[in-house]
Amino acid sequence: MLDVISGRKPRSMLTGQVLIDGKKPPKNLQCMVGYVVQDDFLTGTLTVRENLMFSANLRLPTSISREDKRKKINHLLVDLGLGSCADSLVSQLIGFGCSSFKLSCEGNI
């Protein structure tokens, strides 16, 4: 069900309708929802900040400037309390707040 709502399943594989509160979801629903899969998807050879930028570049529209993405990432790092480890390699942080980081990569950018 989560794959369908988040748009990870091709429409050709589906029958029926997806409704949210009885209404068709907005066309940009995929930009608004996400979930964390159990597999690790973070690149251990990149820093926390670099992983967030990678995710932002994939998920955000190309109309958003690199500078605006950088500002959004900096704000997110502060909100999640990850500012002190923003420039640390992810491989060095396993077990130290990475669940917050994973959630930010998948859902908040």
Side-chain angles (χ1 to χ4, degrees), residues 77-88:
L77 287 165
V78 170
D79 285 352
L80 294 174
L82 295 172
S84 63
C85 64
D87 297 310
S88 299

Side-chain angles (χ1 to χ4, degrees), residues 16-106:
Q17 297 182 53
V18 174
L19 302 175
I20 299 175
D21 289 331
K23 301 174 188 166
K24 289 189 175 187
K27 292 194 184 286
N28 65 343
L29 181 67
Q30 293 175 3
C31 295
M32 299 167 41
V33 299
Y35 66 95
V36 178
V37 294
Q38 292 299 310
D39 299 329
D40 285 337
F41 60 90
L42 303 174
T43 304
T45 57
L46 297 178
T47 66
V48 172
R49 186 183 314 277
E50 290 168 337
N51 267 287
L52 288 172
M53 182 58 83
F54 180 75
S55 181
N57 286 331
L58 292 175
R59 296 174 60 86
L60 295 176
T62 55
S63 60
I64 298 176
S65 72
R66 184 168 179 79
E67 179 63 19
D68 286 342
K69 289 175 187 175
R70 188 189 64 75
K71 287 177 184 176
K72 186 174 185 74
I73 287 166
N74 287 338
H75 183 32
L76 187 60
L77 287 165
V78 170
D79 285 352
L80 294 174
L82 295 172
S84 63
C85 64
D87 297 310
S88 299
L89 293 176
V90 168
S91 61
Q92 297 172 336
L93 299 174
I94 302 303
F96 297 99
C98 281
S99 60
S100 296
F101 175 49
K102 284 181 182 181
L103 288 173
S104 67
C105 280
E106 185 63 25

